[in-house]
Amino acid sequence: MTDVLKPQVLRLGNFCYRINPGDKLSDNDSLKLNYTEETNFTELDPAGSGADVDSRVKEISPGRFAAYLDIPSALFRFIIGKKGDTKRKLEYETRCTIVIPARGVEGAIVIKGKTARSVTSAITRIEVLADSGRQKTDFTHFVSVPMTHPIVQRHYQKFQEQVLTQFSKCHGVDESIFQNPDKLHLTVATLTLLNDPEVTQATEVILSCADELSQKLGSDPRLRIQNLDYMNDDPTAIDVLYAKVRSADNSNSFQVAVDLLGSRLAEAGISRQDFQRDRVKLHVTLMNTLFRKDTGGGGPGPGGRNSKPRETFDAQSMLKVMGTFDFGEIPFPGFHLSKRYSTSCTGYYETVVDIITSGSSS
């Protein structure tokens, strides 16, 4: 039985026809019986029958509707497509005009159409394209806990010297895969912030957590960096070697605080990670094959990555001898919103904002 709310239709050029019950199409696709012409193409709702109208859609004149989308210019290319093909398809399918600012110019995308629902359909499709493009875009910032205290750096230097002295003949071990000591850090979350408003939003979320984080950490939070571990299952073929981080008093206060901050960023739609499913791994990267022959350091904010295939290293003997290596105990240095691919005057990453909780010091 035909659904009267979703009739069969026939599109010919710029016109759309409803096929009445009992009408049939011949082999040459011409109508044998009468048809009803739809004078307004977009009334056959491109957003779906009964779809809600987006609150951003406004009537600008009788029979004319518009919406303005604030999307970072870095994502425009995903909406425009190769030679403008994606944008043209969007305009054709939604019967809207879409105006996108010039390349590199920040500004709103303007959508105009004859019905609110057609504009809503365009909004939905554009936001899906933008979100997909964001997932393909490298992250630009990360929330970090600096591990550059002199105590840690002193022990890290001893660690590096011992590894190069005793295990330099192990496959893949060389000086270039060590992290830059000025950029030792723990990563809480990685963020893709593509314009100033997004950086501001992330900053506000982080600052809004300050009091709650202080309560979770206590009055004098201290951290212990100790014990080596690696990311994969084979100690003879490692890409990343790291040191574990924990609260110095063996409580879970630091883990709770880190997970809280990560969750807040995810709830705000700023971070990609699923903090409800996974806890943040508390670790400091010490050696990473991505750094190979790149002395600028790496991790979430490397000076650059080697484009060649990664060559693993053998850490089996190293782990047996140095597995419990202790990098020391330090005061909690605070949470930082750090800018990737940057270096400040201290040698650490440039900091957009930091939260120094009570009892913390850098």
Side-chain angles (χ1 to χ4, degrees), residues 151 220-224 246-249 254 329-332:
I151 291 175
D220 185 24
R222 299 183 66 83
L223 303 177
R224 169 70 67 177
R246 57 178 170 81
S247 297
D249 61 3
F254 182 54
E329 179 181 318
I330 62 170
F332 172 64

Side-chain angles (χ1 to χ4, degrees), residues 317-329:
S317 299
M318 186 193 314
L319 288 164
K320 289 180 179 178
V321 175
M322 304 176 64
T324 60
F325 197 95
D326 189 353
F327 294 87
E329 179 181 318

Side-chain angles (χ1 to χ4, degrees), residues 259 262-263 266-267 273-279:
D259 290 343
S263 296
E267 290 166 2
Q273 286 117 310
D274 185 353
F275 292 95
Q276 293 183 341
R277 185 188 64 185
D278 301 318
R279 303 175 76 184

Side-chain angles (χ1 to χ4, degrees), residues 17 37 65 132-133 140 181 190 220 227 280 308 350 355:
Y17 303 94
E37 182 174 327
F65 296 82
S132 176
T140 59
T190 56
D220 185 24
N227 297 329
V280 177
K308 296 180 180 179
E350 293 179 8
I355 300 175

Side-chain angles (χ1 to χ4, degrees), residues 248-260:
D249 61 3
N250 290 319
S251 71
N252 68 343
S253 60
F254 182 54
Q255 180 74 66
V256 170
V258 168
D259 290 343
L260 170 67

Side-chain angles (χ1 to χ4, degrees), residues 174-178 288-297 304-306 308 311:
D174 68 58
E175 187 175 1
S176 71
I177 65 175
F178 286 86
N288 190 333
T289 57
L290 283 177
F291 306 161
R292 194 176 297 281
K293 297 181 181 178
D294 174 11
T295 57
R305 290 186 173 183
N306 187 3
K308 296 180 180 179
E311 177 190 354

Side-chain angles (χ1 to χ4, degrees), residues 1-8 19-22:
M1 179 178 293
T2 302
D3 186 345
V4 296
L5 296 179
K6 296 181 180 179
Q8 185 180 0
I19 302 174
N20 294 324

